[in-house]
Amino acid sequence: MVSEVALSFDLAIILLAATIAGFLARQTGQPTIIAYIIAGVIIGPVVLGLVEVTELTETLSELGLAFLLFLLGIKMRIDEIKHILSPIVKISLPQMAAVAAVGTGVSLALGFGTMESIIIGLAVMYSSTAVVIKMLTDLGETTTLHGKIDVGILLLQDVVVVIILAVLAAGRPESAAEVGTTLAVVLTLVAIITVAALAASKYALPPIFRRIADNKQIFFLIAISWAFLFVFVSDNVNLFLAPLGITAYLSIEMGAFLAGVAIAQLPYSKELQDRVNPLTDLFVMIFFASVALSLDAGELFFYWQEAVIAAVVLMIGKFVIFFALISWQRFDSETTFFGSLYMIQVSEFGVVVATAAVVGDFIGVEILGFLTLVALITMGVSVYFFAYGGALYERAQPSLSRFEAEETFAEEKREYTDHAVVVGYDDLTRNVLELLDDHYDDLVVVDRQAAHVTQLTQKGYDAVFGDIGSGSIRKDIALKKADFVLSSSDQIEIGKTILRETSQDATVILEAGDDEDARALYDRGADYVIQSVPLSSERLADYLEALLEDPDTFEDAAERDVELLKDPQPFRDVHERMRGDLDE
């Protein structure tokens, strides 16, 4: 009982400290990853000594890493990066090799041993997924060309890091041949599981998720169960292969990542991202806070001078390497500059690799402290380059332009702009889709029922499964850039959300359940608010009254309605054009 109380107390202290630190980091514009690690430093042996590493914190931190990679996998939609996949691969692979070489060389120059230097090189060649994606999101640059290049590179780096984690899980090798054998076995297992995951995403998962996607709770639980299935297989692969005389290890992170990739290819992945995010944040918070619990002050600052030197060299080296490689792929100077500047930090996965290397007896905890300090320094500094990158580019642009190729890379993917968005596929919206499709170059329909999404896709419409209340969905359909929005949802909060995100020039038609909601939506800028039952009953009464008492007025109103439907610009000046003799 005492031990259970102690475990609960430790977990409560970790959560409280990390939450407070995370809140302060958000208020000051610092990466939350840094805040979590600092929280661990403060409550751990380095400062206060309130909490120690326990079996519970280790289990939760392992799950945190697995869920982080599961979330990354969910975001890896192949069709969204395939148009720039070739240059991304050509940039990523030599970049990782070059940065690893710089990291290894710097480490050797600073006096570290050969194996330690190799591990350091492998740990510093990644950029921070957490920092880059968070800052790109905050700056609204995720859909820019440099944003997509950086995200694509990060995804490939994530694939490499989980492979390295799998190799490190096998422990210290006795010879180079053993390293080669371990790598060959790992790559074979990764290939098999990847094929199985992609096959499942094409044949097994669609009918399952189509049946349960409308039930949010079951949908979420099945997705999490799918992730745990791959985690279980990865964690126990050695037991499965033992009867064949094969010794193999595969990290649970790799299993979780591939489980996410399988789901990412389904039309339901966007909806799942928002539901997995809070759970991932919880476990990741515990993971990074727990990293520092295994360090004391002597370990964290044992190589502090070397860490400062390495951080400076690596940030400069990364910028130069990224700039050279992105420019080599014929991107313009602005894309090259920002794509390079945003990737100079050492990743949180560098700490993960170092932790796995300590467990595998490759390095000592002092090297883990060194890499943790390097990651803290580079992530903290890089945030300010995000903030002041625009000003730096303006000053550097005249010099950078001479590195720009005469013919630069042009994106093939078309972004939504001045398009129509329809929320909900029902009797209200079904009959206007063809009209909108004829009038707008791009029409996107958002619906929460999997069957409707399938029907719309078969008819050739661009359909997205999910809830318009989801920020990921709104971002995916570029709601802010829409020229016309029609929603058949009578939920007042949905209407407010749409009005809050659409531009003032957009035409927005919403539905309300009662007069009070309708007035509220009009006050917030709605062009027209549909009240289905009152509208139909009152309009019918007006038509009948006109037909019986004033046939000429009835014929004029009917002709005007027909003319409105035939107009090639049916939604111009909505308020004025919908008023007629029946409204007098």
Side-chain angles (χ1 to χ4, degrees), residues 228-249:
F228 274 108
L229 172 64
F230 274 68
V231 167
F232 174 78
V233 170
S234 300
D235 194 36
N236 293 277
V237 68
N238 194 42
L239 295 178
F240 299 146
L241 297 178
L244 302 176
I246 299 175
T247 301
Y249 299 90

Side-chain angles (χ1 to χ4, degrees), residues 58-110:
E58 286 183 347
T59 301
L60 291 176
S61 64
E62 287 179 4
L63 285 175
L65 185 55
F67 270 104
L68 178 59
L69 289 167
F70 177 59
L71 182 61
L72 288 173
I74 293 174
K75 295 179 179 180
M76 192 173 178
R77 292 185 63 87
I78 296 173
D79 58 344
E80 290 184 358
I81 63 170
K82 63 183 181 182
H83 64 294
I84 55 172
L85 188 59
S86 177
I88 284 176
V89 172
K90 291 176 182 177
I91 293 168
S92 300
L93 298 182
Q95 171 269 314
M96 284 185 279
V99 174
V102 171
T104 301
V106 170
S107 301
L108 289 171
L110 291 172

Side-chain angles (χ1 to χ4, degrees), residues 191-223:
I192 292 173
I193 296 178
T194 301
V195 171
L198 294 178
S201 71
K202 186 173 183 179
Y203 301 108
L205 293 181
I208 295 174
F209 277 86
R210 204 161 35 237
R211 290 176 178 273
I212 54 93
D214 297 336
N215 188 318
K216 291 186 177 182
Q217 287 72 29
I218 300 298
F219 172 67
F220 177 70
L221 291 175
I222 293 295

Side-chain angles (χ1 to χ4, degrees), residues 293-307:
L293 296 181
S294 60
L295 299 171
D296 59 31
E299 294 165 353
L300 184 62
F301 298 107
F302 191 85
Y303 293 114
W304 73 268
Q305 291 175 315
E306 291 85 348

